[in-house]
Amino acid sequence: MRILVVEDEPELNRLLKKRLEQAHYSVDACLSGTDALDYLGGAEYDALVLDVMLPGISGLEVLRRMRAKHNATPVLLLTARGGIEDRVTGLDAGADDYLVKPFAFDELLARLRVLLRRSSGSVSDVFTAADLVVDCSARTVQRGGESIALSAREFDILEYLIRNQGVVLSRDKICRHIWNYDYEGSSNVVDVYIRYLRKKLDDGHSPKLIHTVRGAGYVLREEA
């Protein structure tokens, strides 16, 4: 899943980006509200970690502008002010959750997982399609009761496909969700990883689950 981190303290910004990437998220990070709006205008995110106190445009103003444009991306606000009035103001502005500094990183991860489940309409991090079972928290995959070993990137793409089961996803959309703005690799990287996934998940199994929609992209769905 792709996360945008907006935090004006450089060291905390760097640490959040590093720890989220270690937790297998694709992460973009910036230091100001102005830059946050630029990022939001150029990409789709699964969640936003947003500091309230930012130089120039505040985090609350970023949030209000997002919601005014009907951007429903889940937002976790970070703040050093934990009073009831401050939390109410943030939630009323459109935040989905609120975390007071200093915080435990494990709690931030847990809150993000809740936001992602809520936004996908799921009550669990375990997704199924035919006899395929994908546990997004444990990062395990089984098909027909047998465990399948995937690389970190293969799992990221499979997770994106199965969270959007039945939805056709373009190559560009997949690439923008899995890789951040710093990526400068091959333009056919998505096709390469789809081939890897098909070999591991579909070869020798029925029904086939990963399908090409000509001229549109890829979709995960049960299909003979």
Side-chain angles (χ1 to χ4, degrees):
M1 299 288 99
R2 190 172 183 179
I3 308 293
L4 176 62
V5 172
V6 190
E7 166 58 59
D8 69 322
E9 297 178 30
E11 183 58 26
L12 180 56
N13 186 297
R14 183 196 65 78
L15 181 61
L16 285 171
K17 186 175 190 297
K18 178 181 178 181
R19 294 292 299 274
L20 285 167
E21 288 174 339
Q22 289 173 342
H24 306 289
Y25 292 102
S26 175
V27 184
D28 291 316
C30 60
L31 299 164
S32 73
T34 301
D35 287 343
L37 292 173
D38 287 341
Y39 274 92
L40 289 165
E44 294 180 5
Y45 293 94
D46 295 290
L48 176 61
V49 178
L50 177 64
D51 188 28
V52 171
M53 302 298 291
L54 295 171
I57 301 173
S58 72
L60 289 179
E61 182 60 25
V62 170
L63 180 55
R64 292 187 184 103
R65 294 189 189 186
M66 285 176 60
R67 298 309 189 222
K69 292 183 177 180
H70 307 290
N71 183 332
T73 302
V75 174
L76 174 60
L77 283 182
L78 303 181
T79 182
R81 302 170 63 180
I84 295 297
E85 184 177 344
D86 298 307
R87 279 181 274 181
V88 169
T89 299
L91 294 170
D92 282 346
D96 298 270
D97 202 355
Y98 206 97
L99 193 56
V100 178
K101 300 177 184 178
F103 53 83
F105 189 75
D106 285 345
E107 182 180 1
L108 182 143
L109 284 178
R111 288 175 182 266
L112 276 177
R113 289 194 294 269
V114 170
L115 293 186
L116 292 170
R117 283 199 300 269
R118 188 184 302 158
S119 66
S120 67
S122 174
V123 297
S124 165
D125 282 329
V126 179
F127 296 83
T128 62
D131 58 347
L132 174 69
V133 181
V134 180
D135 187 328
C136 296
S137 291
R139 292 180 70 83
T140 59
V141 179
Q142 291 187 338
R143 180 136 200 211
E146 296 185 359
S147 295
I148 298 173
L150 299 182
S151 70
R153 193 62 76 197
E154 288 168 352
F155 187 92
D156 292 342
I157 294 175
L158 175 59
E159 178 180 0
Y160 187 44
L161 288 171
I162 202 164
R163 282 183 181 272
N164 292 277
Q165 190 173 164
V167 178
V168 178
L169 302 171
S170 69
R171 291 170 178 83
D172 181 62
K173 193 175 183 70
I174 295 171
C175 191
R176 285 189 288 111
H177 256 79
I178 303 301
W179 286 270
N180 61 23
Y181 273 115
D182 298 330
Y183 178 70
E184 297 179 351
S186 169
S187 61
N188 71 335
V189 64
V190 173
D191 302 311
V192 171
Y193 277 102
I194 290 292
R195 286 200 298 272
Y196 294 160
L197 285 173
R198 280 179 168 149
K199 183 175 180 63
K200 292 182 177 183
L201 300 177
D202 277 346
D203 283 3
H205 293 277
S206 182
K208 303 305 180 186
L209 295 176
I210 300 176
H211 306 277
T212 302
V213 178
R214 191 174 300 277
Y218 298 104
V219 60
L220 190 152
R221 63 188 175 208
E222 295 182 37
E223 191 173 297

